[in-house]
Amino acid sequence: MTASTGQERHRTILHVDMDAFFVSVELLDRPDLVGQPVVVGGSGRRGVIAAASYPARRYGVHSAMSTARARQLCPELVVLDGHHDRYVAVSQRLMALFGERTPLVEPISLDEAFLDVSGARRLLGDGEQIAHELRREVRSLLGLDCSVGVASTKFVAKLASQQAKPRPVTGGPAVGAGVLVVDDDDVLDFLHPLAVSALWGVGPATLSRLEGAGLVHVGDLARTPVEVLVSLLGESAGRHLHRLAHGIDDRSVVADREAKSVGHEQTYTYDLTSRDAMNRELLRLADAVAARLAPGGLAGATVTLKVRFGDFTTLTRSHTPPTPVASTRVLAEIARQLALSIDPTSGVRLLGVSVSGLVPAGGARQMSFDEVDVADPDGVGVQRTVDAIRQRWGPAAIGPAALLDPGGLQLRRRGDAPWGPADRDGSVGS
Amino acid sequence: MKFRCERDVLAEALTSASRGVNNRPSLPVLSGLLLDLHGGKLRVTGSDLDLTISVAIPVDTEREGVTVANAKLITDIVRSLDPGAVMFSVDDDEASVTAGRSAFSVRTIAATEFPNLPEPSGSSVAVDAQAFAAAARQVVSAASRDQDRPILGGVQMETEGEGLRLVATDSYRLAVRDLPGVVILDDSQSVLVPAEALRNLVQLINDEDELRLRIGERDLTFELGEARIMTRRIEGQFPNYRTLIPKDHPNKLTVERGPFVEAVKRVKSVVRDSATPIRLVMKADGLELSVTTQDYGAGFEQLDAKYEGTELAVAFNPQFLIDGAEAAGGEEITIETVDNLKPALLVSSESPDYRYVLMPVRFP
């Protein structure tokens, strides 16, 4: 409806791919082997290579090759046993790092994921900045290298990360660009020289048909009428490749939406006993949840309230409004509505607010009769301003007035006293 | 107890009463139906304490008695039998059901465990069953199904002019139906009826002429011949909806109802969630319907329509639009709009007593 709509639809997608992941993880324990031709895989007679270091790749060694063949190519090859549980553990830390940029993380495998950082651009900078920062952080926290492709579509981002990778050149260190950004204007220049086999969906059978027709590069595909591709490859594959060759890929980054949720809860030193106190705390929690949704540009479909009473009985109440929620105001409103049926007089020990079913915010929104004459019914305008101010001046620079006390603005943030309540929370219920 | 009954008659009674049984009953015994046989009649009752559905059928009585049997089990069994006579008898804590060459025995629960349900209270007034059912059918879909907003889960019954008015809203749409000439409430009286009770009532009404209402302090009872639905009234203040019904609309679209509903349903088929709206572009030369989803695709359709006003694009939840248009009835409907953010009014040319107000979906 406004000029910003096109902007909203334009995604910034990162494809992050770890460099020689299994080997690199093993080398964390064997620094003496860094720079050597090392593989992870079966060392036995029928062993197969699972991953190869770049020095090993220089000899032509690659994954899925038999270890015996690899040893022929590279007699000094060091073969290490794999430790899958360790890769899983490292992968979890990796995905958690991604998740701090944006909740829209779509893991492809242990060492590879798509990140949609469109919503984080305002807070964290453009795609290139986010990519460099992410690489630095992965390096310093995990001691591992990765390559990052940045583009507005998934498949170009993935191709870009492959181009950014270290190359197994003969002699000399194998250095890659680390980050490659393909701007929309450059997508066709980037794609067209690539071999058709680089595209998703081009397996050996498709490849031989395309090559049989003299279509070797992506540019050849782009110049071929879609009807010809369809008659060559069938309706679905023909149209698919035609679109890819023109840089078109509508697939969005899909986080595990069902399982994903963002929430905060707080245990109070002294039980809350009044509705006012409870409402104030719900606002505080809603603010914390909204602050975590903001960088990902996300909204939650379902709002869940959790209440634990002094006697440890716990209940949850959920509400799924017709439109996903992103703003502090609407979140707090729903949480308070859900809390209406709860009588706090017996003492509330813990409150929690969470949202699940995460989707990109700012989509179409069913209006309700309550907002026939409200100027900013979504609270979106307010929320954007709040996010921008916090980005610049810090989280405590602005917040709901109801959370102001003589000690300043009392906000809740992830990691605040996760082991239990600090004493100061006690003042709330009294 | 022991009786004989035609399968169809018994199955229908069990099915009707089972609708009063909650899938997650608050007491174990409430997963059962109370079967009470005396005076040649079998009364079958299902209840979750808030809503009670009770029907009675004549049966060939051999021995009177009362018992409780699991609602789902007994209903499924009787429905699965071959058509014809069914023998039903209870000895100790077991009921046996036989028909033709089939024989079942089912554990029963002592009837003494079944809670005492309140007797209907309030004086009885009669209304035309068919007219009331038609009106109820038109508004129930607009009531909220959200457990957490009990007041919006109700249908408000109140006096309007010289008649009865039924109103329901889930805060996104509002359905109002007047029944002129039906006077059953005092002028200032209003009753908030759980929509669930009306949905059940509508299903229970076949070709009966008369429906009797008994409005008690806390309960409301609908009596339809031998059948009875008793429901707890919802306490609380129904929202002030009157200001929401727009009075003045610059734009007026008139379209054939059947083709419109069909078109919305077709275009909606690319929608896989509850949040994607349908966009209506209203122009002098007709109506365009379109849906675009990021993940699945798009749908588009053009319809003939009469339009007075300035060209307007407005989006709605497609299901809400279908609910309103289906309920409106008649050959043609009119959609009156102010702009793309204000409530729209949907009415049928043939039933001016029905009005449906719908909030648009806002695009960012």
Side-chain angles (χ1 to χ4, degrees), chain A residues 223-272:
Chain A
R223 280 185 291 274
T224 307
V226 64
E227 295 77 18
V228 176
L229 292 179
V230 166
S231 71
L232 201 61
L233 305 171
E235 184 71 28
S236 158
R239 291 195 183 278
H240 174 69
L241 287 189
H242 178 78
R243 290 167 65 78
L244 291 187
H246 286 90
I248 303 166
D249 177 20
D250 295 334
R251 285 167 292 197
S252 49
V253 174
V254 183
D256 189 359
R257 288 180 189 179
E258 289 306 312
K260 251 200 134 110
S261 71
V262 170
H264 275 276
E265 54 187 53
Q266 171 91 50
T267 306
Y268 302 101
T269 314
Y270 300 100
D271 290 355
L272 310 177

Side-chain angles (χ1 to χ4, degrees), chain B residues 34 38 53 62 64 71 135 137 143 208 212 268 276 289 361 364:
Chain B
L34 180 71
H38 67 259
I53 301 179
E62 269 186 45
E64 296 190 336
R137 223 175 260 126
E208 294 84 352
R212 300 194 76 83
K268 172 182 175 278
T276 304
L289 302 172
V361 171

